[in-house]
Amino acid sequence: MEQQGLFFGLMVVGYLLGAVPFGVVISKAMGLPDPRTVGSKNVGFTNVLRVSGKTPGILTLIGDMGKGWVMGFAATHLLQDEWAVLLVALAPFLGHLFSPFLGFKGGKGVATALGSVLGVTPLIGLLLLMAWIGAVALWRYSSGGALTAFGLFPIIAALVRPTAPFVLFSVLVTALIVMKHKGNIERLWKGTESKMGEKKA
């Protein structure tokens, strides 16, 4: 009963923490344009970096990854059941995608998902982070890096942590990230996607 109450409490906290749009909060606190109104109009790291610069971009990345990591780490150390741990780790990711503070809209969830995975399974999280950085360094597309990393996620999960709950978690997270990147996939296909370092009006 105690574990059950703790699980539900962590789910609520995780969802609400994940729903905090750090890109918007940081931009407003620094007197910068609301990322929802400029560039790609996305609240995440890439758009904030592109339209407002390195410092707010990095702070947004730390905030978005941090909220995923905190909940993944807490769940891993406080809960015993793997399903419960992964549902709590999923909560901030879902909060980021469907934030009640933004009319149940949100970002694309890449940084928050990476943070959650790092909190639950640091090795797999580091492998995903390396895949993202490597793909971005090679092609200079943030979306391409995200799609590469999370496209590999179910494969890495099956090889490194081949439990049914974790593999299902990896497939669900990947599917939601691909869904959120539908427009990016179309632009990548057409060759019109913006590269990292390019300014967007």
Side-chain angles (χ1 to χ4, degrees):
M1 186 65 73
E2 183 181 339
Q3 282 275 300
Q4 189 176 38
L6 183 59
F7 164 68
F8 285 115
L10 288 171
M11 283 287 290
V12 172
V13 171
Y15 177 76
L16 293 176
L17 179 60
V20 176
F22 278 100
V24 175
V25 173
I26 289 164
S27 295
K28 288 190 173 183
M30 297 180 72
L32 297 166
D34 187 328
R36 293 172 295 177
T37 65
V38 290
S40 66
K41 298 180 172 58
N42 188 268
V43 299
F45 154 71
T46 303
N47 190 42
V48 175
L49 175 70
R50 183 178 291 129
V51 301
S52 295
K54 289 183 181 179
T55 299
I58 291 169
L59 290 173
T60 298
L61 179 63
I62 291 170
D64 285 346
M65 284 188 71
K67 62 191 183 184
W69 180 84
V70 164
M71 297 313 303
F73 183 83
T76 300
H77 289 82
L78 295 173
L79 299 172
Q80 297 169 1
D81 181 72
E82 187 178 17
W83 285 107
V85 169
L86 294 174
L87 285 170
V88 170
L90 190 66
F93 174 62
L94 294 176
H96 184 83
L97 297 185
F98 310 107
S99 171
F101 307 128
L102 301 176
F104 293 96
K105 297 177 182 178
K108 295 178 181 177
V110 176
T112 304
L114 275 172
S116 291
V117 177
L118 280 165
V120 173
T121 309
L123 174 59
I124 295 178
L126 287 171
L127 289 172
L128 295 183
L129 188 58
M130 288 168 59
W132 184 83
I133 292 171
V136 170
L138 184 62
W139 297 308
R140 289 183 56 216
Y141 291 113
S142 179
S143 57
L147 291 165
T148 298
F150 282 93
L152 292 170
F153 188 21
I155 299 169
I156 294 171
L159 293 173
V160 179
R161 185 169 170 171
T163 65
F166 194 79
V167 172
L168 182 61
F169 170 77
S170 71
V171 170
L172 178 58
V173 169
T174 296
L176 286 168
I177 284 179
V178 170
M179 180 188 76
K180 281 287 187 174
H181 281 80
K182 182 181 176 183
N184 302 88
I185 293 169
E186 291 174 355
R187 289 190 294 274
L188 285 167
W189 181 257
K190 294 175 182 176
T192 57
E193 179 77 332
S194 298
K195 292 186 176 184
M196 292 287 283
E198 288 182 350
K199 289 284 183 181
K200 194 162 185 174

